[in-house]
Amino acid sequence: MTTQDTKAKWNLVIDVDKCENCNNCFLADKDEYCGNTFPGYTEEQPRHGHRWIDIKRRERGSGSLIDVAYLPTMCNQCGDATCVKAAKNGEIYQREDGIVIIDPVKAKGKKELVKACPYGHIWWNEEKEVPQKWFFDAHLLDAGWKEPRCVQSCGTGAMQSLKVSDSEMASKAEREGLEGLKPEIKNKPRVWYKNLHLFMKEHVAGSVVADANGVTDCVDGAEVTLKQGGDVVASLKTDWFGDFKFDKLEPNSGTYSISIAAEGKSYSADFELKESVNLGVLKLS
Amino acid sequence: MDLSSFAPEQQCRATLLGLVQAIKVTSKTDKKFRELVAKKDFTICICIRTENIGRVYTFKGGKVTSKSGKDYTTDVVMEFNDSRDAMRMFVPWRDYLDVINMAKLFKMGASGNETLAVHFTDILSAIFDNRVKYGIKMPDGTMRYTNNTNGGPVFVYVKDGKIIRITPMDLAEDDAEPWTIKARGKEFTPTKKVTVSPHTQGIKSTIYSKDRILYPMKRVDFDPNGERNPQNRGISGYERISWDEATDIVANEIMRVKEEHGPGAIMNGTGSHHTWGNLGYWLSCRIRFFNTIGTTYVAHNPDSWEGFYWGAMHHWGNSIRLGSPDTYNTVEDALQHTDMIVFWSADPESTSGVYGAMEGTQRRLWAKELGIEFVHIDPFYNHTAALLGGKWLANNPGTSNAMALAIAYVWMQEGLYDKDFVEDKTEGFAEWKEYVLGNEDGIPKTPEWQEPETGIPAHDVRALARKWGSKKVYLAAGGIQGFGSAGRAATGSEWARSMVCLMAMQGIGKPGVNMGCLQQGTPIDTRFFFPGYAEGGLSGDYTGTGVGINMYQRMPQVMTMNPVKQKVPRLRIPEAIMDGHTTGYPTDTTQIEGQFFEFGYPAPGHSPIKMYYKYGGSHFGTMNDTNRYARMYRHKNLETVINQSIWMEGEAKFADVILPACTNFERWDIGEFASSGGYIHHNYNQCNHRVITLQHKCIEPLGESKSDFEIFKMIATKMDMGAYFTEGSSELEWTKRLFYGTDLKDVTTWSKFLKKGYYIVPPPKEEDRDPVSWRWYYEGRKKDVPEMNPLPADTTKFFEGLQTQSGKIEFVCNSLKRFAPDDPERPVMTKYIPSWEGTHSGELYEKYPLQLITPHSRYSFHTMMDGKDSHINDIVDHRVEIDGYYYWIVRLNDKDAEARGITQNQIVEVHNDRGSVLCAAQLTSRVPKGTVHSYESSALYEPIGEPGESPDRGGSMNVLTPSRPIIKKSHSTACNSCLVNIRVWEGE
């Protein structure tokens, strides 16, 4: 283990399941930087246009089994940051605590640095002619604050900040199933996501009914099996509304078959999964 | 020197002499004070009527001199009956009960020049006010102050007279520890921090907004002594004028219309909410002022409660809560006992209950952790459903009552209800059962029957009914109980009535069976007294606000009384002005029958409205068929329109004279987190901590703006009513007076509170928590929750039974039997009455096949924080910027969009016969086909052509909504019953 690994660094953990798009993080960021300059850290943020913290929306499925997920994104304070490498004259640098800072003086006029971020999270300030981004509110942490403002304002507990070594963070990520964005570019982002599948993966859902006593009723506890190429992908039981939902499926992942059985009745069908789908009301016969 | 050992005469002489010294000393050290003293040259004599004591003060060139003696020829004479009375007033620790007594008994008074008299009281107040030290100095050189908002209390960091940041409050180690709830083997304790709503997190941008009005203005073609050009309101521009000129015009117009037309000619209206604080405008200094001048008040409908007020109340009373239930200690009960929460038109994650920030979110996530199940009945896949998960039943707007009746049908058929409770604690069930089963009208209200109405499959309704009937279930009717968009619809009162009937069938009050969604009912201390804003602040209104109920013995003040009996129903203001007559029904909390008293406008012997003094611009965004209001403003019948507003928006742009008010961050106030008082008694039980804040004056008012108190004081002074209006107290002194009227004085000191800015009321011990609401009723005991409702006269035995005639929950309502038993719109028991604007509307439905719902907004609080060039506008789910303009959003199903060739974020025109609004289209599966969703309460009303006659691109969706009340015998909004169509906007 190198000394670099043992030094505590700031990380942000976001639980996608708990983000409800209240936008307090987005607004706290604007509150902090619009109209305020913090010398050595940043020029003020323009009143409109920048989204140092952005929130993306994703609806999955439809009808009564729809779900909606939100993904807050920001500068990832990457351990191996493309932007730091691109800034040849120290315009962007990483501090010992992991926070990546754009020097507001050195970076003046360097619009090309905006393109250096693979996540699209460096913004160009037209008026001040300087690239800008979220920097973990380092000026506040340096003044004794315990957490950045986005975490302070988060009303659901979806965001947490922690200052730990990379190895501690890696084991936490392993333990809790945390993921970074764009793992393929190997930038070692220090913004982590829990339940990312709610945004990135697909689901298959449906409602199971059957006729009995002259009426149609929901079927509670029906066995639903999802298969692909003869292999069982997953199976579950319907709830009291007769509903089922298989999650964490890859988009455009081909043909699946679904079979349902209850009380001696059954239903089966094949379908092609492009994106999340509600198969609708499925009647056993 | 200790004066108390001397006789009152000696004390008085010494004090009168000492006053000169105090002014001189303060002048030496305090520049602001020096400037104040130098403002006016004048003489004042302070003297004792029955004794030979007096002193004459001469202010000249900023210097003060004095000489002994009485002189009644000075500019101002301030006279006390005797020296004992004078000393009661002079001591800084004065008891205001003594002061009020002296004033009422004519034992003190001021005469002479009113402006100079008020100026003198300003000097006296400034001796103390200017010395106060407040706030906490932070390491980075900022000062940390506290303030409070509609979306939670905040810390305000200020440097060099500028607000740097506004944050939620992280509580300190020495603040009271929060409560813990033990449930199902787990312990739940809220975090020791205070949440804020998004609109509060964005509030700094509205303080520093380009839309702030920074100086008084007059419409360029308005001449109070010549041509008034009312037809140009909303079109012509404004010119800057001085405060002196502005207040001259306003005071002269008030006096003119009173002389020319008699009582009632001045109307005052405001939004339903205001900037936070007990002393600020809304139910406090506004009422003090308008009571003082005599006013036709705009009578508010029970806007958020419509269905519960006009419907549910008849089944179970609760008039003090406008027909809603109380919710004491239900958080603990729900976490311990309930199996499922049914959210019926309830989206607390969007509406914060009301004022509740994000306090309830944490608790709902606990419920999820415990495995409590959720069902959401709402035409929109709302944000509570999205966060918590659970089944979403997207019923057609306005059809909820059909589903409710079908649920009751299943329970009746399958015996899934509490028969003992129905037998002992309710009345009229058998009669209603006949209707539900179809024995009365031949139509059994089966799940199959409701399917074509609601669009919800019969099997889903049957599954829900069976689960509900066999488990312990909380029903959330609205984000806080009694709210909910379903209640603000043509079928709103029938829906709310059914909610009561369903709860009666399930035995409300049984452990785990109650109303709520963990938004209300935290185990905080309800016995520690601090008033809500509806307790009336400094209004002096002992009958129209809670002053007479909760503050009379705590914060004595001079009574104010409006002698004008005339009032105008808020939703009928345009008809009152343009047609000259209208009628309405009152919002009355004292008894069930209060709502039956129809009133007419004009009132007997009163003048029609000639002058409208409006606060802010909210009616365009919030009142139905909004174009009526625009047309009304341009009508010749309105001679004068004054608007007092913080921002240049909405109705402010239709005024003749605009008076710039400042925000609550620029003046003194005091208030508690979420504590409204009034209709929502103990409303702070939405919060995890009771947070009482001193609302520091964080910065000076921007530009020439002033606090509402100061504005009213200036106008009142020009009518010789200034001293009466202020009682000689400054805003800071009023703040202190209120502090001493509360239990805060027993647990902290004024100076500590002034410095720290807040106090956390410790929660009671676990065993001392309030009883659970309705438990007493379920168990057949006397009422034991801490609210005085019903009044003794409304029961047969004190605290026994409900407010209804039978004292029980009535399936068939005695109040309606007595009032209007044959009213087809509101039968004596709840029935399914299809919406008068909906899928049964024939040709209208063919022409406008989309049903628009407009719930309360998520990111703005009514019109607050929307528009105003605010940060909120940049939230992608709030407004969408297209070609530099921020458009309001309309959400429609992908299929409806496709059929109309509408694409994402395209500008569309939402239209019907009442008008049209330009919006940005958001394509979504969160509404089913045929339903469209947009929020009410745009702050902007920006017609692209003639006001009242052209499309609005500001986003005032209420341009489209009907002005027809839910039922004729009501004053209500049915804003969620609205047929529209949508087309791509291709320009004019």
Side-chain angles (χ1 to χ4, degrees), chain B residues 653-692:
Chain B
K653 295 177 175 177
F654 285 71
D656 301 327
V657 175
I658 300 175
L659 305 175
C662 67
T663 69
N664 56 311
F665 294 87
E666 299 151 68
R667 59 173 177 81
W668 287 99
D669 212 322
I670 183 170
E672 178 175 356
F673 183 12
S675 184
S676 51
Y679 305 150
I680 325 178
H681 201 42
H682 295 141
N683 193 31
Y684 51 71
N685 78 4
Q686 293 179 86
C687 306
N688 291 325
H689 316 268
R690 279 193 72 180
V691 188
I692 301 173

Side-chain angles (χ1 to χ4, degrees), chain A residues 21 31 35 47-48 59 153, chain B residues 201 204-205 859 869 874 924:
Chain A
N21 198 33
D31 182 83
R47 189 165 177 113
H48 301 293
E59 288 180 14
S153 271
Chain B
Q201 191 54 83
K204 190 182 90 178
S205 65
Y859 298 108
D869 193 32
D874 289 309
T924 178

Side-chain angles (χ1 to χ4, degrees), chain A residues 119-134:
Chain A
Y119 300 98
H121 258 292
I122 298 179
W123 306 81
W124 181 246
N125 184 328
E126 206 59 61
E127 193 196 333
K128 305 284 181 187
E129 297 185 320
V130 68
Q132 296 181 294
K133 68 172 191 67
W134 182 68

Side-chain angles (χ1 to χ4, degrees), chain A residues 20-21 24 27 31-32 35-36 47-48 51 59 63-64 70 149 152-153 216-218 240-241 243, chain B residues 162 164-166 170 196 198 201 204-205 208 349 373 391-392 462 858-859 869 874 924-926:
Chain A
E20 60 166 332
N21 198 33
N24 272 3
L27 293 164
D31 182 83
E32 185 66 26
N36 293 328
R47 189 165 177 113
H48 301 293
R51 296 183 183 278
E59 288 180 14
S64 72
Y70 299 96
R149 293 202 53 191
Q152 184 196 32
S153 271
T216 304
D217 270 327
C218 302
W240 50 276
F241 272 115
D243 292 340
Chain B
K162 177 188 149 192
I164 302 296
R165 67 180 64 91
I166 296 181
D170 288 324
V196 293
Q201 191 54 83
K204 190 182 90 178
S205 65
Y208 297 113
E349 294 303 328
E373 295 191 80
K391 183 78 167 179
W392 171 43
R462 198 153 32 240
R858 185 178 196 205
Y859 298 108
D869 193 32
D874 289 309
T924 178
S925 296
R926 299 180 79 149

Side-chain angles (χ1 to χ4, degrees), chain B residues 319-320 589-591 788-796 798-799 803:
Chain B
S319 67
I320 78 161
T589 56
T590 55
Q591 57 158 185
M788 190 61 201
N789 170 53
L791 292 172
D794 256 346
T795 55
T796 42
F798 202 49
F799 280 135
Q803 195 179 4

Side-chain angles (χ1 to χ4, degrees), chain A residues 17-38 44 46-51 54-55 57 59 61-68 70 139-140 143 145 147 149 151-157 207-209 214-218 239-241 243 245 281, chain B residues 139-140 157 162-168 170 193 195-199 201-202 204-206 208-210 340 349 358 361-362 365 368 373 375 381 383 386-387 390-393 448 458-460 462-464 466-467 858-859 868-872 874-877 886 904 922-926:
Chain A
D17 190 37
K18 284 190 180 164
C19 178
E20 60 166 332
N21 198 33
C22 77
N23 274 271
N24 272 3
C25 53
F26 170 77
L27 293 164
D29 179 78
K30 290 187 77 79
D31 182 83
E32 185 66 26
Y33 299 109
C34 292
N36 293 328
T37 299
F38 298 102
E44 67 180 78
R47 189 165 177 113
H48 301 293
H50 283 205
R51 296 183 183 278
D54 196 13
I55 305 173
R57 180 180 67 233
E59 288 180 14
S62 63
S64 72
L65 295 169
I66 188 176
D67 55 42
V68 180
Y70 299 96
H139 64 300
L140 295 176
W145 283 53
E147 56 193 16
R149 293 202 53 191
V151 176
Q152 184 196 32
S153 271
C154 181
T156 64
S207 304
V208 180
V209 299
V215 293
T216 304
D217 270 327
C218 302
D239 67 14
W240 50 276
F241 272 115
D243 292 340
K245 192 184 264 184
V281 176
Chain B
D140 66 350
Y157 295 76
K162 177 188 149 192
I163 297 175
I164 302 296
R165 67 180 64 91
I166 296 181
T167 75
D170 288 324
K193 59 201 278 188
T195 57
V196 293
S197 286
H199 51 80
Q201 191 54 83
K204 190 182 90 178
S205 65
T206 66
Y208 297 113
S209 155
K210 68 179 172 57
M340 182 167 81
E349 294 303 328
M358 296 180 70
T361 306
Q362 184 174 171
L365 291 172
K368 187 176 179 181
E373 295 191 80
V375 172
Y381 183 69
H383 297 281
L387 176 66
K391 183 78 167 179
W392 171 43
L393 300 174
E448 280 70 17
H459 56 83
D460 280 341
R462 198 153 32 240
L464 174 61
R466 285 176 179 158
K467 181 84 165 181
R858 185 178 196 205
Y859 298 108
K868 306 170 186 61
D869 193 32
S870 130
H871 291 164
I872 299 291
D874 289 309
I875 294 176
V876 289
D877 206 23
Y886 284 85
Q904 182 77 5
Q922 187 186 98
L923 278 51
T924 178
S925 296
R926 299 180 79 149

